[in-house]
């Protein structure tokens, strides 16, 4: 009876690790305190899996920040700027790499495949020296063993590690980190030798890059790496784990021909095509770790369907060679449903968080072995059937409207240049208009007001008065700074998705459904369980209140449909695009109500549009088509004089610039300050862009206050490739995480820089 878990959430059921980390970073607790919390968390996770009957329990999937950074530490690949002198890597060096310190910046962080988790990108060059410098994998293996749990140590595989790396600063951009393969393998051999000596019988290498479109030299690196490790691995069972998509046929062929590999792990939830590959040929005598339980969502598994899949695989690989597993690490889902006291029983019966998924995996393994728990399977079937037939899930009217959108293109009637002219006549803005992205600092006092109102400790009247005062303060600050297009500062909002989800039907919210985003930061995604509609206006009241306080244009602020989709746990009983169209129609009503309420500038944020991009190029076009279409649906009905803005967060836009143009927004603001050059190179290469554009002129993720000169220099660089009449001047993201002591001087310098350049341009004329 064989069951396996790819990985498990690290934060703890009540975010214990988050609080321990932040307390340590603030200097309130010691390293020993942090290690104690970590040790207790690991022990409880291993015990939980052992008690549930899991046979292959992972170790070394816990982390104080990120598993790729742990690998960088293991290899001793510390960039020079951290002045590390060798020896075992300390917490101080480790956290400097992750977060920067007083004198040097952090390493770059980027998204882990197409999830909402972020990893720390290794910075490598031809001169990088590698040495075994963090014994975390062996220490955690021994720690579990001392507790009586024999685990499968998990390492980020050597080829994926290099494919996820980037050339360090100062290294030729054309440098290929993959060329360092023979330099990192000696460290892997040392780690393997220690694990073997400590009694490990299995080892898991995560090689998720195998699901991407790889070139032949990249595939050849897998052969080279595992051939080179063969003698070190002899006597061990080796599992190579893949996840997040199906494995392309060529990669499948390469992977299944590696002679030192004993077992292959596949994501059979997002990688259904891999099933066909297995059915058309699987190497004799090897193990198949079948990822049938979804590690990326919160829905209860369809146990009967999974059992059917497993039985068909059993016929191919053999009874003793099939292991039931999760589709990927469970770190991408919430921790434990037990802590959800607010969800009603019906919705709760449809869900399974990480702790419940462990039980599902084991129940499937038992059923395969002929010990099916009939009561458990029957309860699961009943819950699925209640979800299928629940009137809360289906709204015929919404279904009809969403299927009708496919018949139109939803474009505004006139071209963007004609619209910008009409808008300028009405708004009368200077050249290089200044604005901010939306949120202003969320003070302790403001959070207290929202919390007390939610807990019914203050009346609606008191709440409304407090929020109005806050908006008035934010409006006054912007007028004093002489900003051209104002925002109300979003004091009434907790989160840009949750705020809307709470006012739309078809959404449910958890109390503790936290998922790690990066480091100690967690997000609590809403659950979209049913058809989405908007019962009543959501933002119109506050936008009108704010507009009544100023003669300057006040932006209405909305979150776009694709971002709401990509930052939620989405229903799995219909295609994602259907749900996205439903959200788009709900936002469309809101846009039209804002316009009718006198709001002339409306921003619809699509921070996460690029995040949803599939891992395979062949699937990009379909996704971008429906994602961009969803955005256009929201604002196709407004007048030419209404200016539609959108905002996008840090991304490589270069490959999707044509889709961005196709969104047909009047103005787009882009978080760009960490990747200035990348974005501007698109326009340098001759992409013609006629709409308004505001690449962020300073980084709000850092407390640093940029000087007027620095901002002016940035704007001038942009003017070298963009027309004066389309450029906007703005920070690169919302300001809610910053303090007023940082925001006021930074915005002062931003406005001064814009005025200085306006004066220079007028003089030049």
């Amino acid at each position: 009876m064989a069951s396996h878990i790819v990985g498990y959430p690290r934060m703890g059921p009540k975010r214990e690790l988050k609080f321990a980390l932040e307390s340590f970073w603030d200097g309130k607790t010691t390293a020993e305190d942090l290690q104690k919390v970590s040790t207790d968390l690991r022990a409880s996770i291993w015990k939980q899996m052992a008690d549930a009957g899991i046979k292959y329990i992972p170790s070394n999937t816990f982390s104080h920040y990120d598993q790729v950074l742990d690998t960088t530490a293991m290899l001793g690949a510390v960039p020079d700027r951290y002045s590390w002198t060798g020896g075992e890597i300390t917490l101080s060096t480790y956290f400097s790499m992750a977060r920067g310190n007083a004198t040097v910046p952090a390493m770059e962080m980027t998204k882990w495949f197409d999830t909402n988790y972020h990893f720390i990108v290794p910075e490598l060059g031809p001169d990088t020296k590698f040495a075994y410098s963090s014994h975390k994998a062996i220490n955690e293996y021994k720690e579990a063993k001392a507790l009586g749990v024999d685990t499968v140590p998990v390492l980020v595989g050597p080829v994926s590690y290099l494919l996820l790396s980037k050339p360090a600063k100062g290294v030729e951009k054309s440098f290929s980190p993959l060329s360092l393969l023979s330099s990192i393998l000696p460290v892997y051999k040392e780690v393997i030798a220690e694990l073997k000596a400590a009694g490990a019988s299995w080892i898991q290498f995560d090689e998720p890059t195998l699901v991407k479109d790889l070139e032949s030299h990249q595939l050849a690196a897998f052969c080279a790496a595992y051939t080179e490790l063969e003698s070190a691995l002899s006597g061990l069972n080796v599992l190579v784990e893949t996840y997040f998509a199906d494995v392309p046929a060529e990669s499948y062929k390469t992977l299944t021909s590696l002679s030192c590999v004993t077992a292959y792990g596949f994501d059979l939830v997002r990688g259904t095509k891999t099933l066909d590959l297995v059915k058309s040929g699987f190497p004799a005598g090897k193990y198949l770790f079948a990822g049938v339980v979804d590690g990326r969502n919160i829905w209860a598994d369809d146990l009967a369907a999974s059992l059917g899949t497993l039985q068909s695989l059993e016929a191919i690989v053999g009874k003793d060679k099939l292991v039931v597993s999760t589709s990927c690490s469970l770190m991408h889902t919430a921790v434990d449903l037990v802590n959800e006291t607010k969800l009603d029983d019906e919705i709760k019966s449809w869900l399974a968080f990480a702790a419940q998924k462990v039980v599902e995996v084991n129940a499937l393994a038992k059923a395969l072995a002929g010990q099916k728990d009939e009561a458990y399977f029957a309860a699961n079937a009943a819950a699925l059937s209640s979800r299928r037939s629940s009137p809360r899930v289906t709204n015929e009217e919404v279904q009809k409207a969403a299927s009708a959108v496919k018949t139109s293109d939803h474009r505004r009637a006139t071209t963007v240049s004609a619209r910008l002219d009409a808008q300028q006549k009405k708004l009368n803005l200077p050249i290089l208009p200044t604005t901010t992205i939306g949120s202003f600092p969320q003070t302790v006092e403001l959070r207290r007001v929202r919390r007390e109102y939610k807990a019914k400790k203050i009346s609606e009247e008191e709440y409304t008065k407090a929020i109005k005062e806050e908006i008035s303060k934010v409006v006054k600050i912007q007028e004093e700074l002489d900003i051209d297009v104002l925002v109300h500062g979003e004091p009434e909002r907790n989160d840009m998705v949750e705020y809307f989800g709470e006012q739309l039907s078809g959404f449910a919210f958890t109390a503790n459904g936290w998922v790690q985003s990066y480091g100690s930061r967690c997000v609590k995604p809403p659950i979209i369980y049913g058809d989405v509609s908007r019962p009543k206006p959501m933002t119109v009241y506050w936008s009108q209140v704010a507009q009544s306080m100023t003669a300057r244009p006040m932006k209405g602020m909305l979150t776009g449909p694709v971002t709401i989709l990509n930052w939620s746990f989405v229903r799995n009983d219909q295609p994602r695009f259907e749900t996205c169209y439903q959200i788009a129609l709900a936002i469309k009503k809101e846009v039209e109500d804002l316009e009718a309420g006198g709001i002339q500038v409306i921003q619809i944020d699509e921070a996460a549009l690029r995040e949803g991009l599939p891992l395979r190029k062949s699937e990009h076009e379909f996704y971008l088509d429906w994602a961009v279409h969803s955005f256009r649906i929201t604002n196709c009905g407004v007048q030419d004089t209404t200016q539609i803005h959108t905002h996008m967060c840090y991304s490589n836009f270069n490959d999707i610039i044509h889709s961005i143009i196709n969104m047909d927004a009047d103005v787009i603001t882009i978080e760009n300050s960490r990747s200035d050059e990348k974005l501007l190179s698109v326009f340098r290469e001759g992409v013609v862009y006629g709409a308004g554009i505001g690449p962020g002129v300073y980084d709000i993720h850092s407390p640093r206050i940029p000087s007027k000169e620095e901002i002016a220099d940035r704007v001038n660089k942009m003017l070298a490739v963009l027309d004066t009449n389309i450029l906007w001047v703005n920070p690169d993201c919302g300001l809610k995480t910053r303090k007023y002591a940082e925001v006021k001087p930074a915005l002062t310098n931003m406005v001064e820089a814009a005025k200085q350049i306006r004066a220079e341009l007028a003089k030049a004329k």
Side-chain angles (χ1 to χ4, degrees), residues 34-50:
L34 174 60
Q35 297 296 8
K36 169 142 187 24
V37 171
S38 307
T39 308
D40 291 349
L41 273 174
R42 287 193 294 264
S44 72
I45 291 167
W46 290 324
K47 184 181 182 324
Q48 182 188 339
M49 290 195 216

Side-chain angles (χ1 to χ4, degrees), residues 287-590:
Y287 289 83
L288 172 62
F289 280 59
V292 290
V293 172
D294 192 349
R296 285 184 59 173
N297 220 321
I298 39 64
W299 304 109
D301 189 64
D302 183 338
L303 294 176
S306 293
L307 188 57
T309 302
L310 291 163
Q311 284 162 338
S312 68
L313 289 169
E314 196 176 55
I316 299 158
V317 306
K319 211 175 182 62
D320 56 335
K321 291 287 187 274
L322 183 63
V323 179
V324 183
S325 184
T326 53
S327 65
C328 61
S329 169
L330 297 176
M331 64 182 281
H332 306 292
T333 188
V335 183
D336 196 341
L337 203 48
V338 185
N339 301 312
E340 295 309 324
T341 43
K342 292 197 181 110
L343 281 174
D344 64 79
D345 289 345
E346 183 181 27
I347 289 182
K348 225 168 157 173
S349 75
W350 304 341
L351 307 178
F353 291 0
Q356 288 68 44
K357 288 175 189 288
V358 168
V359 176
E360 289 181 335
V361 166
N362 198 58
L364 285 165
K366 279 172 85 166
L368 259 189
Q371 302 166 27
K372 186 173 173 188
D373 181 338
E374 295 294 351
Y376 183 77
F377 271 72
N380 171 265
L384 290 174
S385 141
S386 108
R387 187 177 156 208
R388 272 193 291 269
S389 59
S390 171
R392 300 168 69 175
V393 171
T394 314
N395 177 332
E396 301 249 334
E397 200 183 323
V398 172
Q399 292 270 351
K400 244 197 218 111
S403 65
V405 304
K406 292 162 204 158
T407 58
S408 156
D409 210 17
H410 297 91
R411 287 186 186 275
R412 290 172 77 179
T414 47
T415 64
V416 70
S417 55
R419 298 195 309 261
L420 287 171
D421 286 345
Q423 291 154 15
Q424 180 53 18
K425 284 197 182 84
K426 198 167 173 187
L427 298 170
N428 195 19
L429 299 169
I431 58 164
L432 307 180
T434 53
T435 189
T436 63
I437 300 306
S439 59
F440 262 63
Q442 299 240 334
T443 58
V444 174
E445 174 60 16
L446 183 56
R447 288 173 200 267
R448 186 187 60 77
V449 167
R450 277 206 315 262
R451 200 167 49 241
E452 291 188 351
Y453 177 56
K454 211 169 182 176
K456 302 198 168 45
K457 285 184 185 161
I458 58 171
S459 69
E460 181 159 8
E461 215 171 328
E462 291 170 285
Y463 171 73
T464 303
K465 181 170 175 273
I467 297 293
K468 277 184 177 166
E469 280 168 10
E470 182 67 25
I471 293 174
S472 166
K473 180 178 96 178
V474 167
V475 168
K476 215 173 252 124
I477 289 171
Q478 293 172 92
E479 291 194 324
E480 282 164 9
L481 290 167
D482 204 14
I483 289 174
D484 300 304
V485 175
L486 310 194
V487 297
H488 77 294
E490 303 175 25
E492 77 288 11
R493 305 186 191 182
N494 43 3
D495 170 272
M496 60 186 282
V497 173
E498 195 165 302
Y499 180 75
F500 290 95
E502 285 174 337
Q503 303 184 73
L504 293 166
S505 55
F507 281 76
F509 293 86
T510 63
N512 287 292
W514 298 97
V515 181
Q516 184 182 13
S517 170
Y518 63 87
S520 69
R521 189 179 153 77
C522 302
V523 292
K524 191 156 62 73
I527 296 168
I528 304 178
Y529 66 83
D531 289 335
V532 177
S533 59
R534 185 200 72 146
K536 57 179 200 292
M538 303 182 281
T539 65
V540 178
Y541 173 76
W542 292 119
S543 287
Q544 286 180 308
V545 163
Q547 183 63 80
S548 71
M549 296 175 178
T550 180
R552 302 181 185 218
M554 172 62 64
K555 280 198 277 198
M557 300 298 305
L558 305 173
T559 302
V562 187
T563 298
I564 291 176
L565 184 89
N566 284 338
W567 286 352
S568 298
F569 283 126
V570 182
R571 57 192 290 191
N572 58 358
D573 57 351
Q574 68 178 21
R576 285 174 79 85
F577 64 82
E578 297 277 358
T579 304
C580 201
Y581 286 150
Q582 292 179 0
I583 304 168
L585 290 168
I587 300 293
K588 179 180 196 280
K589 288 185 174 163
E590 188 70 14

Side-chain angles (χ1 to χ4, degrees), residues 4-48:
H4 166 248
I5 305 294
V6 178
Y8 201 80
R10 312 149 176 167
M11 282 295 136
K14 299 271 175 80
R15 291 184 293 163
E16 291 84 349
L17 181 60
K18 172 195 173 67
F19 300 120
L21 282 166
E22 289 172 2
S23 167
F24 173 69
W25 294 336
D26 289 344
K28 292 178 186 155
T29 49
T30 64
E32 286 67 41
D33 297 327
L34 174 60
Q35 297 296 8
K36 169 142 187 24
V37 171
S38 307
T39 308
D40 291 349
L41 273 174
R42 287 193 294 264
S44 72
I45 291 167
W46 290 324
K47 184 181 182 324
Q48 182 188 339

Side-chain angles (χ1 to χ4, degrees), residues 67-292:
Q67 70 273 15
V68 181
L69 183 61
D70 293 343
T71 312
T72 297
M74 176 184 95
L75 294 166
V78 182
D80 291 342
R81 64 179 175 279
Y82 300 106
S83 326
W84 174 66
T85 51
E88 187 78 2
I89 285 184
T90 60
L91 278 181
S92 151
T93 300
Y94 180 84
F95 287 133
S96 291
M97 291 194 282
R99 310 176 64 235
N101 60 36
T103 52
V104 290
M107 292 169 73
E108 187 193 340
M109 182 167 78
T110 198
K111 289 177 65 60
W112 179 243
F113 295 82
D114 59 349
T115 69
N116 289 329
Y117 176 75
H118 300 71
F119 73 98
I120 302 287
V121 184
E123 302 171 13
L124 307 174
D127 304 329
T128 306
K129 297 278 176 283
F130 300 98
Y132 186 11
S133 309
S134 163
H135 290 64
K136 178 178 176 294
I138 181 74
N139 294 343
E140 289 184 17
Y141 174 77
K142 286 177 171 169
E143 191 182 301
K145 204 162 182 185
L147 296 168
V149 183
D150 189 20
T151 57
V152 177
V154 179
L155 300 174
V156 174
V159 185
S160 289
Y161 177 79
L162 293 173
L163 290 176
L164 293 165
S165 302
K166 67 169 192 179
K169 232 190 172 84
V171 171
E172 284 297 323
K173 285 278 167 273
S174 60
F175 171 74
S176 162
L178 205 50
S179 62
L180 298 168
L181 188 59
S182 57
S183 313
I184 70 170
L185 291 176
V187 179
Y188 274 89
K189 287 178 186 172
E190 285 184 68
V191 179
I192 293 162
E194 281 197 357
L195 288 167
K196 212 151 78 171
S201 57
W202 277 84
I203 187 166
Q204 173 179 325
F205 291 103
D206 281 9
E207 293 281 13
T209 51
L210 278 163
V211 305
K212 296 182 95 163
D213 297 308
L214 297 177
E215 292 163 28
S216 54
H217 76 278
Q218 295 170 319
L219 280 176
F222 284 96
C223 298
Y226 288 92
T227 303
E228 175 64 28
L229 291 174
E230 191 153 358
S231 57
L233 290 166
S234 72
L236 277 173
N237 288 300
V238 178
L239 163 63
V240 171
E241 184 63 59
T242 68
Y243 35 77
F244 301 149
D246 49 80
V247 176
E250 228 14 67
S251 308
Y252 179 81
K253 215 163 89 186
T254 301
L255 177 59
T256 50
S257 66
L258 301 173
S259 56
C260 67
V261 177
T262 328
Y264 310 101
F266 297 121
D267 179 337
L268 301 180
V269 177
R270 290 191 174 222
T272 44
K273 290 184 193 144
T274 308
L275 272 175
D276 301 332
L277 293 173
V278 172
K279 287 173 182 169
S280 61
F282 189 78
K286 303 277 184 165
Y287 289 83
L288 172 62
F289 280 59
V292 290

